[in-house]
Amino acid sequence: MVKAEPVELEVGPRVVRLTSPDRVYFPAHGWTKLDLANYYLAVGDGIVRALRERPCMLHRFPSGLAGEKVHQKRLPAGAPPWVETVQVYFPRYGRTADELCVTELGAVAWAVQMATVEFHPWNSRRADVEKPDEWRIDLDPMPDAGFERVRKVAGVAKGVLDELGIVGYPKTSGGSGLHIYVRIAPEWGFGEVRRAALAFAREVERRAPEDVTTTWWRKDRDPRHVFVDFNQNARDHTIASAWSVRGVPDGTVSTPFTWSELDAIEPRDLTLATVPARFAAQGDPHASIDDVAHRLDTLLEWADRDGLPE
């Protein structure tokens, strides 16, 4: 087989050299490295908005999905000088790492050149990595909870947010669940944000006890319930960003949608092959996510009321 020549991608002011563009990353569909790069260019405004100024862990597949998966915290070697980073500290290891910090679409394209499929940003930005500006509500269904139940729980969560005067921005997870993101004022540390997230999860559980669990140990959860995973707000916990392709055979995408679409959205239909047309027609449903930064005071009062640990 003749090896394909590298492709030069013009990405704004940058030129990114994509080697092995014909390497198959998704064998079930024959989608290649170039297909993956073109996907990210097609949703460029959205993916940059989701990643901008955040420390970002990369899920890399140097040989495609059929090969080894690499969880990359440190910026891969060989980055051009215009690719920016942010230093983060990992107390467990007593070490620091310079992680990718996307400020432009060229950095996303370069990460794809380095075999990145998934982008997993922190919920804080480099101006102060210890103060999150994003609260993440992760609706994680247990094995016997169908997607209709996830939709139902998302509706309950939205009701609580509405009562709080908070705007939540939903997206598919790229798997079987849903995420709701909320911009918050970067005034609290990870522990306080996690505590507020637990208070919110408990309120959703109170309103839908037949559908929701906040039980920590998986073995103790009802398999029909949806777990509201408050711990996704803990320090150094990351989940796939909005518009990130997932490293699964069907190349599903963690796709933003509007609340009016909740009853119709089908996560399995949202892939790197289908989402670009959706983005071109609809734009980014999260385009206004940075317009308002909400406060957590009421949720922290709920946490005090419920006696939740600090």
Side-chain angles (χ1 to χ4, degrees), residues 46 49 58 73 94 102 142 173 182 267 280 286 298 310:
R49 180 178 295 108
L58 309 176
K73 292 189 176 183
V102 168
M142 295 298 98
S173 68
V182 175
H286 287 194
T298 300
E310 297 284 345

Side-chain angles (χ1 to χ4, degrees), residues 136-146 149-150 153-154 157 176-179 194 197-198 200-202 204-205 208-233 237:
R136 297 169 175 176
I137 302 165
D138 180 6
L139 306 182
D140 181 14
M142 295 298 98
D144 296 338
R149 180 159 288 183
V150 179
V153 174
S176 57
L178 294 176
H179 301 151
R194 179 185 180 277
L198 175 55
F200 177 85
R202 291 281 176 84
V204 174
E205 184 179 32
E210 299 302 314
D211 301 302
V212 174
T213 182
T214 59
T215 299
W216 177 245
W217 296 109
R218 188 179 184 90
K219 65 180 178 62
D220 296 330
R221 298 175 198 155
D222 188 317
R224 300 166 298 174
H225 282 177
V226 175
F227 177 48
V228 182
D229 190 354
F230 53 90
N231 207 48
Q232 294 294 1
N233 296 280
H237 280 230

